[in-house]
Amino acid sequence: MEQMSGYDVRKHFGESLSYFWNESYGQIYPTLKQLAKEGLVAAVSAGQAGKRDRQVYSLTSKGRDHLREWLAKPPQNQPIRNEFLLKLFLGRSPPRGALCEHIGRFRTEQEELLAMFLIIQDSVRIEHAKSPNLKYWMLGLKHGVGIRRAEIKWCNEPLRVLDSASAKRKAHPRRSGSRIHQNSPAGLD
């Protein structure tokens, strides 16, 4: 692993990891200082022509051992916070058509991400053909491609359900205070 400053770490995250892991400068710099304090990374001042020196960090042997141990442990799932799914869950409350618009936007975002992942996949395959890391990077990219394809396919079902529910409302207008139709899909009417 090469030496990196906090800026370099953030740039690396932005270029290759931001689709599944994101860190801000406010998280990176305190973490680097803590890792240095624990002896997991070593900080060195690096001179720059015409600029103030910057701190670059490299893993120590203790840091490499710690990284290997961490990589061997099962991943801990983080709590999910997905505003889109929350709005879908609370779907009876928004104005008519809002959910379909949200789903349409979501589908467009997934289509754009899929196109970008496919371009990145081809680019990485060509640019890093001899890298020992290529197979691991490709596994991550294939995961992203598969998730995007599944999300795009999924969008069809809620749109069908919402269109069906909307058609039922138009065919059978409810009186104020009536109950949810028990036979409607997913409790929608």
Side-chain angles (χ1 to χ4, degrees):
M1 296 204 166
E2 64 190 78
Q3 290 185 335
M4 293 182 166
S5 67
Y7 174 81
D8 296 331
V9 170
R10 177 69 176 108
K11 185 178 174 191
H12 184 69
F13 271 98
E15 291 173 352
S16 58
L17 305 174
S18 64
Y19 299 103
F20 58 89
W21 194 273
N22 203 352
E23 298 292 341
S24 69
Y25 288 117
Q27 294 166 309
I28 291 171
Y29 286 106
T31 300
L32 286 171
K33 287 181 182 181
Q34 182 63 36
L35 292 171
K37 185 178 174 183
E38 293 173 16
L40 301 173
V41 296
V44 178
S45 290
Q48 302 181 94
K51 296 180 182 178
R52 68 179 203 158
D53 289 353
R54 65 185 190 144
Q55 291 285 319
V56 293
Y57 299 83
S58 58
L59 280 175
T60 62
S61 60
K62 180 180 176 183
R64 282 192 219 325
D65 291 342
H66 186 77
L67 177 60
R68 282 189 198 100
E69 288 173 20
W70 177 78
L71 289 169
K73 291 179 183 176
Q76 294 183 359
N77 290 325
Q78 302 296 317
I80 297 172
R81 292 179 52 101
N82 187 318
E83 185 177 341
F84 169 69
L85 291 177
L86 179 61
K87 288 182 178 186
L88 193 62
F89 182 79
L90 301 171
R92 290 198 66 216
S93 298
R96 286 190 186 186
L99 283 180
C100 288
E101 289 176 22
H102 294 332
I103 294 166
R105 255 190 316 278
F106 178 74
R107 181 185 179 110
T108 299
E109 290 168 4
Q110 299 310 303
E111 290 168 342
E112 290 170 357
L113 282 170
L114 175 60
M116 185 171 38
F117 282 160
L118 292 172
I119 290 168
I120 292 169
Q121 193 173 347
D122 290 343
S123 174
V124 167
R125 189 178 287 126
I126 292 166
E127 291 177 29
H128 302 283
K130 296 185 192 284
S131 173
N133 294 315
L134 179 63
K135 64 183 168 187
Y136 307 107
W137 296 339
M138 294 307 290
L139 289 172
L141 283 164
K142 286 180 181 183
H143 177 269
V145 166
I147 294 294
R148 302 296 72 83
R149 285 183 173 148
E151 295 281 25
I152 292 165
K153 182 179 177 184
W154 170 85
C155 288
N156 297 329
E157 177 65 13
L159 289 173
R160 186 191 61 72
V161 168
L162 293 170
D163 284 345
S164 171
S166 179
K168 284 183 181 181
R169 270 196 299 273
K170 288 177 185 173
H172 305 289
R174 289 187 283 161
R175 290 179 300 179
S176 176
S178 68
R179 295 179 171 244
I180 295 174
H181 293 95
Q182 298 300 320
N183 295 333
S184 65
L188 296 171
D189 58 330

